[in-house]
Amino acid sequence: YKDEEYVIKGITFEVKAGETVAIVGATGSGKSSIVNLISRLYEFNKGDLILDGSSIRDYELSSLRSNIGLVLQDVFLFSDSIHNNITLNNAAISRTQVEAAAKVVGVHDFISRLPGGYDFDVRERGGMLSVGQRQLIAFIRAYVYNPRILILDEATSSIDTESELLIQSATAALTKGRTSIIIAHRLATIQAANKILVIDHGEIVEAGSHQELIQKDGRYKRLFDLQFKNEAIVVETQV
């Protein structure tokens, strides 16, 4: 973000069509900067980002972004119906499509039980829904637009255990057959990824599948053990 003070330092990796790549690392390590570059929210100083053989700078910005679905940690919902929050008032998306997407994500029954169902007003910033429920609405929003590239940026970091199970299932449905990049805080949500990149101070320090990185007994293994040890302590304390 400042000349010659690089946040991303010589990172090179490939995501094949239909693959899921997860990125993990400490706060400030450069994870979100990578996905912001893919959406061209920032321009890069050196190197290139190649999409289907062409630099992303060769694509019209509107075309590039229309093919990218982004789900963030902090989901913004408008004071409007669930249907309109999913379609963003796009009249080309029918109620049938919205309901079909909700069924794939696994929350159609939950929405149907609300007063008014898909016409339920979630109020300002989605205040009538829990954090996990708001996140699931964002997943349906991403699915119904059918993006070629899916980016989940810390989409599971602020949810309860019950919602996490639903979101793990929703993540599997959303990423199936779709080129996906997942920035994850909860390592349980990325074990099925084709490749996991461990980022530290803007550099890749480890890369491999979950099992490969566990066997390597390095940075990822320590993060994994620490996270599950802490969660075990919480469970024991509650008991």
Side-chain angles (χ1 to χ4, degrees):
Y1 305 109
K2 294 182 181 180
D3 290 341
E4 304 302 321
E5 292 184 23
Y6 297 111
V7 176
I8 304 298
K9 305 164 187 173
I11 281 182
T12 299
F13 66 93
E14 179 182 8
V15 187
K16 295 178 181 178
E19 275 191 343
T20 296
V21 169
I23 305 175
V24 303
T27 301
S29 60
K31 304 185 302 296
S32 293
S33 294
I34 293 172
V35 296
N36 286 338
L37 290 175
I38 295 170
S39 302
R40 285 189 65 190
L41 297 175
Y42 295 106
E43 296 291 352
F44 45 86
N45 304 85
K46 292 183 178 181
D48 209 346
L49 271 160
I50 307 298
L51 177 60
D52 285 347
S54 300
S55 171
I56 63 169
R57 286 175 168 163
D58 294 336
Y59 291 89
E60 288 286 339
L61 195 57
S62 59
S63 174
L64 176 70
R65 291 180 179 169
S66 68
N67 283 286
I68 297 174
L70 180 62
V71 180
L72 301 171
Q73 175 182 348
D74 186 16
V75 176
F76 188 89
L77 298 183
F78 301 92
S79 180
D80 205 335
S81 68
I82 286 179
H83 176 89
N84 288 341
N85 268 288
I86 292 170
T87 64
L88 299 177
N89 279 319
N90 184 344
I93 301 174
S94 68
R95 176 63 61 89
T96 301
Q97 288 174 287
V98 169
E99 290 184 5
K103 287 175 182 176
V104 171
V105 173
V107 290
H108 173 71
D109 291 343
F110 146 68
I111 295 173
S112 299
R113 289 194 297 269
L114 294 171
Y118 287 84
D119 295 316
F120 177 73
D121 190 338
V122 301
R123 305 294 173 87
E124 187 174 355
R125 297 188 67 86
M128 299 299 289
L129 303 176
S130 71
V131 173
Q133 290 166 343
R134 292 197 295 270
Q135 200 66 263
L136 288 164
I137 297 300
F139 273 59
I140 304 171
R141 183 191 284 170
Y143 188 89
V144 81
Y145 274 88
N146 194 29
R148 293 180 62 197
I149 299 171
L150 176 70
I151 297 173
L152 305 181
D153 190 353
E154 298 278 17
T156 62
S157 62
S158 302
I159 56 174
D160 54 72
T161 303
E162 183 179 356
S163 295
E164 181 177 4
L165 295 175
L166 282 171
I167 286 180
Q168 282 187 35
S169 176
T171 300
L174 205 57
T175 57
K176 185 178 181 180
R178 196 188 312 274
T179 309
S180 307
I181 298 176
I182 303 176
I183 294 178
H185 172 72
R186 293 181 182 232
L187 302 185
T189 62
I190 59 164
Q191 293 182 33
N194 299 97
K195 185 188 300 179
I196 299 170
L197 307 176
V198 183
I199 307 293
D200 186 43
H201 292 91
E203 299 178 284
I204 297 175
V205 293
E206 287 181 354
S209 68
H210 170 75
Q211 287 300 328
E212 288 170 347
L213 293 176
I214 289 294
Q215 291 172 7
K216 190 176 289 186
D217 199 19
R219 187 81 58 91
Y220 178 83
K221 175 68 159 51
R222 291 195 295 274
L223 286 172
F224 188 84
D225 289 345
L226 180 63
Q227 189 166 116
F228 280 87
K229 178 182 177 182
N230 288 341
E231 290 184 5
I233 289 172
V234 172
V235 171
E236 289 167 7
T237 302
Q238 290 174 339
V239 171

